């Protein structure tokens, strides 16, 4: 594809998506908009997690840690000092934490807060990369899993920074449906460009055979660190958006369950496939919402009626069936357009 | 036959035209880590709903139950579903303070009257006009414990709290504030973590300090083990907790005889019905579920009764055409509830804060795995 054609394609996708964002916020009710909003945020988290886990093939279990960092940095930056001194109930906030403030009513400030959150996460990822990438495979999973726990315990045990287990609330809600959508689009385009760049190919080489990649002159440590930092950056941004869209955060929100949800999403869509991660997110979050009537005892579904709690049973069975029949996820490690291309090729 | 069907159909159409259904949302954790609490709450709500679902003009109230999985994103999604898809006039829930804080902004944005029946964190109702609380706050529960201790001349204490639970930290703070104000002396604050099994370090310190009173606003699993180790070390000082240890069966299982004499503050005592309605509620609950109602069931019922009472006042033909006016009316009525007969007592809501006023707490004592009523404390 020539550069001209490529930019035209991106422009078209952007235009269609922005139009969809604009019209959907007018057509759909508040509920659908909220669900779509959380889908966009999880797309950001899933594709960035996919970058390290699927594309680079480093089985790490850290996203909950980076999402928590992003969420807390955004919250601390955007809550005013007055509210903070009222909010910190367990101990006085550190002067630095209390006074750092980007007025969210000024334009671009929320945007800067998100960038700082992402950068902060990326910085933590950089320091983490040195010890973490000394190990591979299962060991890497355990080390990164530990990181997620450390972040949560740090947040709980340092009330002067994070207000401990009480968490923070009254976070300004700058993350409207439209801006979450735009952030999602930007992330998808950026990550796509990384995956199909020289670095992306190096990442895939590391995934397929790290020793061979090393022998071919790829600096595997550098590549892995880059993938890790990029992933952490977008997870931080996603965390910031999450904090703003819900309005309150607490350490319990960022347990291993969050990582686990993201892992389900990317395995469901197909490890290493970007469009798979997007489809996985839509199926995971959308499916969970679509099955809601199963919980309602008053809703009749043929001869049956709903039982509170039935939804999660059905949802788990569906996940099981999908994984049984599509062992490598829905799309494997290919993209959705690869399938379309193959079909076209066969037809011609 | 055809005639019969036609008759039946027309009767159905006529009845739906005459009597409307008014939807009330219920947002509770029915799956996830605290599913048991949500299920107990739902039992209480279902029982009072089956009794009080008809309004004077023939309309009925229909419950729309939504699960929040004790997850913030699911809570927000479920709340939005109730408000904008199901068009409910009011929402009961969610039960935990952290989840109630997550719906705070959306309650204000959509102007939906929301009753949280057992979220005790003071910040839940702060800064919004649309969240009303049916229970007392952590501040009050801590104060009650402090008052009890001081009234019984127990003027120095050790506080043991769980660093990981916002509930525990809030309660400990409230207790210490009230206790110091009343002239009590805090000898030491010790902390534990959820899931801890070994409390010997804390117990050794307590033994050395020899306090007259030990306040433990933690949850039942830790409390049980803590009590066993405390009594084994020979510490005899009275121990009191919050509603988090209101599980006498579990305490007995974990602590055996050491659980005897431990006290806690609670919302409600099934053996002491404060109103006529609650006596009936307890009787019917036992008949239907074969066990005594817990504080969760009782406060769940209270939340529903608050909403029922408000909807009853607002269900006029004019209101039924305009949902937002209906909701505004329900919210106003909720906030101005006066002396409503409910399960845990008579409820009066302060219109400015959304918290109940003069809501008493009960102090209970555990004897042989059963609760025993000690006293009723009024604010």
């Amino acid at each position: 594809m020539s550069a001209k054609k490529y930019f035209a394609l991106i422009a078209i996708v952007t235009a269609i998506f922005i139009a969809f964002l604009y019209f959907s916020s007018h057509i759909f009710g508040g509920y659908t908009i909220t669900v779509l909003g959380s889908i966009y945020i999880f797309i950001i988290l899933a594709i960035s997690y996919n970058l390290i886990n699927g594309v680079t093939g480093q089985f790490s279990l850290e996203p909950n840690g980076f999402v928590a960092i992003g969420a807390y940095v955004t919250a601390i930056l955007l809550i005013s000092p007055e509210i903070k001194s009222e909010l910190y109930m367990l101990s006085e906030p550190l002067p630095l934490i209390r006074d750092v403030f980007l007025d969210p009513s000024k334009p671009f400030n929320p945007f800067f807060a998100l960038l700082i959150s992402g950068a902060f996460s990326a910085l933590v990822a950089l320091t983490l990369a040195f010890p973490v990438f000394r190990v591979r495979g299962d060991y890497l999973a355990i080390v990164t899993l530990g990181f997620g726990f450390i972040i949560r315990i740090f947040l709980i045990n340092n009330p002067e920074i994070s207000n401990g287990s009480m968490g923070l609330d009254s976070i300004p809600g700058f993350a409207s449906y439209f801006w979450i959508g735009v952030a999602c689009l930007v992330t998808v385009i950026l990550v796509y460009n990384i995956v199909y760049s020289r670095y992306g190919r190096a990442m895939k080489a590391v995934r397929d055979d790290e020793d061979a990649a090393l022998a071919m002159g790829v600096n595997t440590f550098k590549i892995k660190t880059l993938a890790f930092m990029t992933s952490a950056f977008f997870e931080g941004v996603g965390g910031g958006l999450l904090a703003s869209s819900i309005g309150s955060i607490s350490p319990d929100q960022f347990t291993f369950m969050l990582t686990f949800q993201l892992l389900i999403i990317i395995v469901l869509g197909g490890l290493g496939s970007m469009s798979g991660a997007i489809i996985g997110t839509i199926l995971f979050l959308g499916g969970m919402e679509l099955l809601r009537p199963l919980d309602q005892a008053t809703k009749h579904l043929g001869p049956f009626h709903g039982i509170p709690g039935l939804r999660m049973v059905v949802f788990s069975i569906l996940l099981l069936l999908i994984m049984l029949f599509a062992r490598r996820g829905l799309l494997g490690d290919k993209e959705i357009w690869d399938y379309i291309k193959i079909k076209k090729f066969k037809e011609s | 036959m055809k005639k019969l069907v036609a008759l039946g159909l027309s009767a159905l159409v006529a009845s739906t035209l005459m009597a409307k259904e008014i939807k009330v949302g219920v947002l509770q954790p029915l799956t996830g880590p605290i599913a048991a609490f949500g299920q107990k709450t739902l039992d209480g709500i279902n029982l009072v709903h089956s009794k009080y679902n008809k309004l004077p003009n023939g309309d009925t109230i229909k419950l729309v139950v939504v699960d929040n999985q004790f997850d913030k994103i699911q809570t927000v999604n479920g709340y939005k579903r109730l408000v904008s898809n199901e068009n409910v006039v009011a929402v009961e829930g969610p039960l935990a303070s952290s989840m109630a804080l997550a719906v705070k902004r959306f309650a204000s944005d959509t102007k939906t009257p929301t009753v949280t029946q057992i979220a005790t964190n003071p910040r839940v109702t702060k800064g919004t006009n649309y969240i009303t609380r049916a229970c007392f706050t952590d501040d009050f529960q801590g104060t009650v414990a402090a008052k009890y201790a001081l009234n019984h001349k127990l003027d120095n204490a050790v506080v043991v709290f769980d660093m990981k639970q916002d509930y525990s930290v809030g309660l400990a703070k409230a207790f210490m504030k009230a206790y110091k104000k009343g002239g009590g002396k805090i000898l030491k604050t010790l902390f534990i973590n959820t899931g801890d099994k070994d409390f010997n370090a804390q117990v050794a310190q307590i033994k050395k300090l020899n306090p007259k009173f030990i306040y433990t606003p933690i949850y039942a699993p830790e409390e049980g083990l803590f009590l066993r180790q405390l009594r084994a070390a020979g510490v005899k000082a009275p121990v009191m907790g919050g509603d988090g240890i209101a599980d006498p069966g579990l305490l007995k299982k974990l602590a055996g005889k050491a659980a005897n004499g431990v006290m806690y503050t609670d919302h409600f005592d099934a053996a002491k019905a404060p109103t006529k309605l609650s006596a009936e509620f307890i009787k019917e609950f036992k008949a239907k579920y074969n066990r005594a109602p817990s504080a969760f069931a009782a406060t769940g019922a209270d939340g529903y009764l608050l909403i029922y009472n408000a909807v009853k006042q607002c269900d006029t033909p004019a209101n039924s055409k305009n949902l937002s006016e209906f909701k505004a009316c329900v919210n106003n009525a909720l906030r101005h509830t006066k002396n409503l007969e409910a399960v845990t007592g008579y409820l009066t809501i302060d219109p400015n804060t959304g918290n109940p006023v003069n809501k008493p707490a009960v102090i209970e004592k555990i004897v042989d795995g059963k609760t025993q009523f000690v006293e009723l404390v009024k604010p």
Side-chain angles (χ1 to χ4, degrees), chain B residues 47-82:
Chain B
L47 185 65
V48 282
H49 173 252
S50 65
K51 227 171 143 189
Y52 301 95
N53 56 16
K54 285 264 182 304
L55 295 165
N57 60 4
D59 292 354
T60 49
I61 292 186
K62 186 184 155 198
L63 292 181
V64 185
V65 182
V66 168
D67 176 20
N68 76 356
Q69 294 173 257
F70 195 56
D71 176 278
K72 277 192 181 170
I73 295 166
Q74 292 291 320
T75 303
V76 172
N77 287 352
Y79 191 81
K80 279 282 177 89
R81 181 186 168 89
L82 287 171

Short mmCIF file of all heavy atoms in Angstrom, two decimals, chain B residues 47-82:
data_model
loop_
_atom_site.label_atom_id
_atom_site.label_comp_id
_atom_site.label_asym_id
_atom_site.label_seq_id
_atom_site.Cartn_x
_atom_site.Cartn_y
_atom_site.Cartn_z
N LEU B 47 -39.59 -9.78 50.18
CA LEU B 47 -40.66 -10.03 51.15
C LEU B 47 -41.55 -8.81 51.33
O LEU B 47 -42.78 -8.91 51.25
CB LEU B 47 -40.06 -10.45 52.49
CG LEU B 47 -41.09 -10.86 53.54
CD1 LEU B 47 -41.83 -12.11 53.10
CD2 LEU B 47 -40.43 -11.08 54.89
N VAL B 48 -40.96 -7.63 51.55
CA VAL B 48 -41.81 -6.45 51.71
C VAL B 48 -42.48 -6.06 50.40
O VAL B 48 -43.61 -5.56 50.39
CB VAL B 48 -41.08 -5.21 52.28
CG1 VAL B 48 -40.90 -5.34 53.76
CG2 VAL B 48 -39.81 -4.95 51.59
N HIS B 49 -41.79 -6.33 49.28
CA HIS B 49 -42.41 -5.98 47.99
C HIS B 49 -43.66 -6.81 47.74
O HIS B 49 -44.67 -6.33 47.25
CB HIS B 49 -41.41 -6.18 46.85
CG HIS B 49 -42.02 -6.02 45.49
ND1 HIS B 49 -42.24 -7.08 44.65
CD2 HIS B 49 -42.49 -4.93 44.86
CE1 HIS B 49 -42.80 -6.63 43.55
NE2 HIS B 49 -42.97 -5.32 43.65
N SER B 50 -43.60 -8.11 48.12
CA SER B 50 -44.78 -8.96 47.89
C SER B 50 -45.97 -8.46 48.70
O SER B 50 -47.12 -8.69 48.36
CB SER B 50 -44.46 -10.41 48.23
OG SER B 50 -44.20 -10.52 49.61
N LYS B 51 -45.68 -7.75 49.76
CA LYS B 51 -46.77 -7.24 50.61
C LYS B 51 -47.18 -5.82 50.22
O LYS B 51 -48.37 -5.48 50.22
CB LYS B 51 -46.27 -7.24 52.06
CG LYS B 51 -47.29 -7.84 52.99
CD LYS B 51 -46.69 -8.01 54.36
CE LYS B 51 -47.72 -7.72 55.41
NZ LYS B 51 -47.09 -7.67 56.73
N TYR B 52 -46.22 -5.00 49.92
CA TYR B 52 -46.52 -3.61 49.59
C TYR B 52 -46.17 -3.33 48.13
O TYR B 52 -45.17 -2.68 47.85
CB TYR B 52 -45.70 -2.67 50.48
CG TYR B 52 -45.96 -2.86 51.95
CD1 TYR B 52 -45.13 -3.67 52.72
CD2 TYR B 52 -47.03 -2.22 52.56
CE1 TYR B 52 -45.37 -3.85 54.07
CE2 TYR B 52 -47.29 -2.40 53.91
CZ TYR B 52 -46.45 -3.21 54.66
OH TYR B 52 -46.70 -3.39 55.98
N ASN B 53 -46.97 -3.84 47.22
CA ASN B 53 -46.70 -3.50 45.82
C ASN B 53 -47.87 -2.78 45.17
O ASN B 53 -47.78 -2.30 44.06
CB ASN B 53 -46.31 -4.73 45.01
CG ASN B 53 -47.34 -5.82 45.09
OD1 ASN B 53 -48.48 -5.56 45.50
ND2 ASN B 53 -46.98 -7.03 44.72
N LYS B 54 -48.98 -2.71 45.84
CA LYS B 54 -50.16 -2.01 45.30
C LYS B 54 -50.20 -0.59 45.84
O LYS B 54 -49.98 -0.36 47.03
CB LYS B 54 -51.43 -2.73 45.74
CG LYS B 54 -51.70 -4.03 45.00
CD LYS B 54 -52.67 -3.78 43.85
CE LYS B 54 -53.02 -5.04 43.11
NZ LYS B 54 -51.85 -5.77 42.58
N LEU B 55 -50.49 0.34 44.96
CA LEU B 55 -50.64 1.72 45.38
C LEU B 55 -52.14 2.02 45.50
O LEU B 55 -52.95 1.33 44.89
CB LEU B 55 -49.97 2.65 44.38
CG LEU B 55 -48.45 2.47 44.31
CD1 LEU B 55 -47.90 3.13 43.07
CD2 LEU B 55 -47.80 3.04 45.55
N PRO B 56 -52.51 3.05 46.25
CA PRO B 56 -53.93 3.32 46.50
C PRO B 56 -54.78 3.41 45.21
O PRO B 56 -55.93 2.98 45.19
CB PRO B 56 -53.91 4.65 47.23
CG PRO B 56 -52.58 4.73 47.85
CD PRO B 56 -51.65 3.95 46.99
N ASN B 57 -54.21 3.94 44.13
CA ASN B 57 -55.03 4.13 42.92
C ASN B 57 -54.99 2.91 41.99
O ASN B 57 -55.38 2.99 40.83
CB ASN B 57 -54.57 5.38 42.17
CG ASN B 57 -53.13 5.29 41.76
OD1 ASN B 57 -52.48 4.26 41.97
ND2 ASN B 57 -52.62 6.34 41.15
N GLY B 58 -54.49 1.78 42.47
CA GLY B 58 -54.53 0.56 41.67
C GLY B 58 -53.26 0.27 40.89
O GLY B 58 -53.10 -0.82 40.35
N ASP B 59 -52.34 1.21 40.84
CA ASP B 59 -51.07 0.96 40.16
C ASP B 59 -50.25 -0.04 40.98
O ASP B 59 -50.43 -0.18 42.18
CB ASP B 59 -50.26 2.25 40.04
CG ASP B 59 -50.92 3.22 39.08
OD1 ASP B 59 -51.92 2.82 38.45
OD2 ASP B 59 -50.46 4.37 38.98
N THR B 60 -49.34 -0.72 40.28
CA THR B 60 -48.48 -1.65 41.01
C THR B 60 -47.02 -1.25 40.84
O THR B 60 -46.64 -0.64 39.84
CB THR B 60 -48.63 -3.09 40.49
OG1 THR B 60 -48.51 -3.06 39.08
CG2 THR B 60 -49.94 -3.70 40.90
N ILE B 61 -46.22 -1.63 41.82
CA ILE B 61 -44.78 -1.39 41.71
C ILE B 61 -44.10 -2.68 41.27
O ILE B 61 -44.38 -3.75 41.80
CB ILE B 61 -44.19 -0.94 43.06
CG1 ILE B 61 -44.72 0.45 43.40
CG2 ILE B 61 -42.67 -0.94 43.03
CD1 ILE B 61 -44.10 1.06 44.63
N LYS B 62 -43.28 -2.56 40.24
CA LYS B 62 -42.55 -3.72 39.74
C LYS B 62 -41.06 -3.52 40.02
O LYS B 62 -40.53 -2.43 39.79
CB LYS B 62 -42.79 -3.82 38.22
CG LYS B 62 -42.22 -5.06 37.60
CD LYS B 62 -42.43 -5.02 36.09
CE LYS B 62 -41.41 -5.88 35.42
NZ LYS B 62 -41.27 -5.58 33.99
N LEU B 63 -40.43 -4.55 40.53
CA LEU B 63 -39.00 -4.44 40.82
C LEU B 63 -38.19 -4.86 39.60
O LEU B 63 -38.50 -5.85 38.96
CB LEU B 63 -38.61 -5.35 41.99
CG LEU B 63 -39.12 -5.00 43.38
CD1 LEU B 63 -38.60 -6.02 44.39
CD2 LEU B 63 -38.70 -3.61 43.79
N VAL B 64 -37.17 -4.10 39.27
CA VAL B 64 -36.23 -4.51 38.23
C VAL B 64 -34.89 -4.75 38.92
O VAL B 64 -34.26 -3.82 39.40
CB VAL B 64 -36.09 -3.43 37.15
CG1 VAL B 64 -35.21 -3.93 36.03
CG2 VAL B 64 -37.44 -3.02 36.62
N VAL B 65 -34.51 -6.03 39.01
CA VAL B 65 -33.30 -6.39 39.77
C VAL B 65 -32.10 -6.45 38.84
O VAL B 65 -32.15 -7.09 37.80
CB VAL B 65 -33.49 -7.75 40.47
CG1 VAL B 65 -32.25 -8.09 41.29
CG2 VAL B 65 -34.71 -7.72 41.36
N VAL B 66 -31.04 -5.76 39.20
CA VAL B 66 -29.82 -5.77 38.40
C VAL B 66 -28.63 -6.10 39.31
O VAL B 66 -28.54 -5.61 40.43
CB VAL B 66 -29.62 -4.40 37.70
CG1 VAL B 66 -28.24 -4.28 37.12
CG2 VAL B 66 -30.66 -4.22 36.61
N ASP B 67 -27.76 -6.95 38.79
CA ASP B 67 -26.58 -7.40 39.53
C ASP B 67 -25.42 -6.45 39.26
O ASP B 67 -25.20 -6.05 38.13
CB ASP B 67 -26.24 -8.82 39.03
CG ASP B 67 -24.97 -9.36 39.64
OD1 ASP B 67 -24.57 -8.85 40.69
OD2 ASP B 67 -24.42 -10.31 39.07
N ASN B 68 -24.67 -6.06 40.30
CA ASN B 68 -23.51 -5.20 40.03
C ASN B 68 -22.17 -5.91 40.24
O ASN B 68 -21.11 -5.31 40.06
CB ASN B 68 -23.58 -3.90 40.84
CG ASN B 68 -23.23 -4.08 42.30
OD1 ASN B 68 -23.00 -5.20 42.76
ND2 ASN B 68 -23.19 -3.03 43.05
N GLN B 69 -22.20 -7.17 40.63
CA GLN B 69 -21.00 -7.99 40.76
C GLN B 69 -19.94 -7.41 41.68
O GLN B 69 -18.79 -7.82 41.63
CB GLN B 69 -20.34 -8.22 39.39
CG GLN B 69 -21.19 -9.04 38.47
CD GLN B 69 -20.57 -9.10 37.10
OE1 GLN B 69 -21.03 -8.42 36.19
NE2 GLN B 69 -19.53 -9.87 36.94
N PHE B 70 -20.27 -6.40 42.49
CA PHE B 70 -19.31 -5.72 43.33
C PHE B 70 -18.16 -5.18 42.49
O PHE B 70 -17.00 -5.26 42.83
CB PHE B 70 -18.79 -6.66 44.43
CG PHE B 70 -18.07 -5.95 45.54
CD1 PHE B 70 -18.69 -4.95 46.24
CD2 PHE B 70 -16.78 -6.28 45.87
CE1 PHE B 70 -18.04 -4.28 47.26
CE2 PHE B 70 -16.11 -5.61 46.90
CZ PHE B 70 -16.75 -4.62 47.58
N ASP B 71 -18.50 -4.61 41.34
CA ASP B 71 -17.51 -4.10 40.40
C ASP B 71 -17.98 -2.72 39.97
O ASP B 71 -19.15 -2.54 39.65
CB ASP B 71 -17.43 -5.05 39.21
CG ASP B 71 -16.50 -4.55 38.13
OD1 ASP B 71 -16.93 -3.72 37.32
OD2 ASP B 71 -15.36 -5.00 38.10
N LYS B 72 -17.07 -1.74 39.96
CA LYS B 72 -17.51 -0.37 39.72
C LYS B 72 -18.06 -0.15 38.33
O LYS B 72 -19.07 0.53 38.15
CB LYS B 72 -16.37 0.61 39.99
CG LYS B 72 -16.25 0.93 41.46
CD LYS B 72 -15.35 2.09 41.73
CE LYS B 72 -15.29 2.29 43.24
NZ LYS B 72 -14.28 3.24 43.63
N ILE B 73 -17.41 -0.74 37.33
CA ILE B 73 -17.88 -0.53 35.95
C ILE B 73 -19.26 -1.16 35.78
O ILE B 73 -20.17 -0.57 35.20
CB ILE B 73 -16.86 -1.14 34.96
CG1 ILE B 73 -15.55 -0.37 35.06
CG2 ILE B 73 -17.38 -1.06 33.54
CD1 ILE B 73 -14.39 -1.05 34.40
N GLN B 74 -19.41 -2.36 36.33
CA GLN B 74 -20.71 -3.04 36.26
C GLN B 74 -21.77 -2.25 37.02
O GLN B 74 -22.94 -2.23 36.63
CB GLN B 74 -20.60 -4.45 36.83
CG GLN B 74 -19.76 -5.37 36.00
CD GLN B 74 -20.44 -5.70 34.70
OE1 GLN B 74 -21.64 -5.89 34.65
NE2 GLN B 74 -19.68 -5.71 33.62
N THR B 75 -21.36 -1.63 38.12
CA THR B 75 -22.31 -0.83 38.90
C THR B 75 -22.82 0.34 38.08
O THR B 75 -24.02 0.59 38.01
CB THR B 75 -21.62 -0.31 40.18
OG1 THR B 75 -21.13 -1.42 40.90
CG2 THR B 75 -22.58 0.47 41.04
N VAL B 76 -21.87 1.05 37.44
CA VAL B 76 -22.28 2.21 36.65
C VAL B 76 -23.15 1.77 35.47
O VAL B 76 -24.19 2.37 35.20
CB VAL B 76 -21.03 3.00 36.17
CG1 VAL B 76 -21.42 4.07 35.20
CG2 VAL B 76 -20.30 3.59 37.36
N ASN B 77 -22.73 0.71 34.77
CA ASN B 77 -23.53 0.22 33.65
C ASN B 77 -24.92 -0.19 34.09
O ASN B 77 -25.92 0.13 33.43
CB ASN B 77 -22.85 -0.97 32.98
CG ASN B 77 -21.63 -0.55 32.18
OD1 ASN B 77 -21.39 0.64 32.01
ND2 ASN B 77 -20.87 -1.51 31.71
N GLY B 78 -24.99 -0.93 35.20
CA GLY B 78 -26.29 -1.39 35.69
C GLY B 78 -27.17 -0.23 36.08
O GLY B 78 -28.37 -0.22 35.79
N TYR B 79 -26.57 0.76 36.70
CA TYR B 79 -27.33 1.94 37.14
C TYR B 79 -27.91 2.66 35.93
O TYR B 79 -29.08 3.01 35.89
CB TYR B 79 -26.41 2.87 37.93
CG TYR B 79 -27.15 3.98 38.64
CD1 TYR B 79 -27.78 3.74 39.85
CD2 TYR B 79 -27.22 5.26 38.10
CE1 TYR B 79 -28.45 4.74 40.50
CE2 TYR B 79 -27.89 6.27 38.75
CZ TYR B 79 -28.50 6.01 39.95
OH TYR B 79 -29.19 7.00 40.59
N LYS B 80 -27.05 2.84 34.90
CA LYS B 80 -27.50 3.53 33.70
C LYS B 80 -28.62 2.74 33.01
O LYS B 80 -29.55 3.29 32.45
CB LYS B 80 -26.34 3.72 32.73
CG LYS B 80 -25.46 4.89 33.09
CD LYS B 80 -26.11 6.19 32.66
CE LYS B 80 -25.32 7.41 33.04
NZ LYS B 80 -24.35 7.82 32.05
N ARG B 81 -28.49 1.42 33.06
CA ARG B 81 -29.51 0.59 32.43
C ARG B 81 -30.86 0.81 33.12
O ARG B 81 -31.88 0.98 32.47
CB ARG B 81 -29.11 -0.88 32.54
CG ARG B 81 -30.11 -1.80 31.90
CD ARG B 81 -29.79 -3.26 32.14
NE ARG B 81 -30.92 -4.06 31.74
CZ ARG B 81 -31.11 -4.53 30.52
NH1 ARG B 81 -30.22 -4.27 29.60
NH2 ARG B 81 -32.17 -5.22 30.22
N LEU B 82 -30.83 0.83 34.45
CA LEU B 82 -32.06 1.04 35.20
C LEU B 82 -32.66 2.40 34.87
O LEU B 82 -33.86 2.53 34.64
CB LEU B 82 -31.79 0.95 36.70
CG LEU B 82 -31.52 -0.44 37.25
CD1 LEU B 82 -31.07 -0.36 38.68
CD2 LEU B 82 -32.78 -1.28 37.16
#
